[in-house]
Amino acid sequence: MDFTIISICFGILGFVCVITMIMVIIANRHIEALEKNNSYIQDMIIKMQNTLKNKSATNAVAEHAEMIYQDLLQNLIPILAALDIMPRNTSEHPLWRTLGGLLDEYAKNPFVMEKLRRAIKLDSNVKRNVSNYMSRAENLLENLNATEPDGILATTFLNGLLGQSLTFFTQGYQLATADTDIK
């Protein structure tokens, strides 16, 4: 009889051990699933924080857009006066009218590049304004690239009047500073 009781006790003990092992395995799987979910949620929170930081920075640029536009425009006005170019006659923002007038004139008359080169070379005020405009426009584009994850706004500015004017002024500036003999 003792053998049967001992066998039953070992059987029950074995059954309890098997059940316990199964429960431990199931608990471990649940813990692994929870760890994966926790990791996924942490990654999503980090992505959301980065997106919010980027949106906040983009919103700051948008809120300060008028100041940025006015700063760019203040550098453009003396340049256009020296080149004798008028802004477009449209209802756009004055910055875009000014840039549009400049690039429209350049499209009609490529000699505008030569006029710009001479103005940069001969007038230190024009040279300073062109340099200021280029650095501020580049800073604006860099800020947009750094703060906007999609790059849609930065690409729009780069492919639009701002980017075209930046290319135009960069070429004129390089021509004016590269040739020290030509006047």
Side-chain angles (χ1 to χ4, degrees), residues 16-36:
V16 168
C17 286
V18 168
I19 295 295
T20 305
M21 291 292 282
I22 290 172
M23 292 177 71
V24 167
I25 291 171
I26 291 172
N28 281 340
R29 287 186 181 159
H30 285 295
I31 290 172
E32 288 174 5
L34 288 173
E35 286 175 346
K36 285 180 185 178

Side-chain angles (χ1 to χ4, degrees), residues 129-148:
N129 282 306
V130 168
S131 178
N132 286 342
Y133 176 84
M134 290 188 315
S135 75
R136 287 179 172 95
E138 287 171 352
N139 285 340
L140 172 62
L141 291 172
E142 286 174 14
N143 283 335
L144 288 174
N145 275 329
T147 59
E148 188 188 19

Side-chain angles (χ1 to χ4, degrees), residues 118-129:
R118 286 182 186 170
I120 292 170
K121 190 157 196 71
L122 300 175
D123 188 344
S124 62
N125 187 37
V126 171
K127 182 178 182 177
R128 184 181 70 253
N129 282 306

Side-chain angles (χ1 to χ4, degrees), residues 86-113:
M86 296 299 294
R88 284 179 178 165
N89 190 12
T90 62
S91 62
E92 298 172 292
H93 187 280
L95 175 64
W96 307 124
R97 286 194 327 240
T98 305
L99 290 174
L102 172 69
L103 294 170
D104 290 348
E105 186 64 30
Y106 178 59
K108 288 188 284 186
N109 180 8
F111 186 68
V112 171
M113 180 64 76

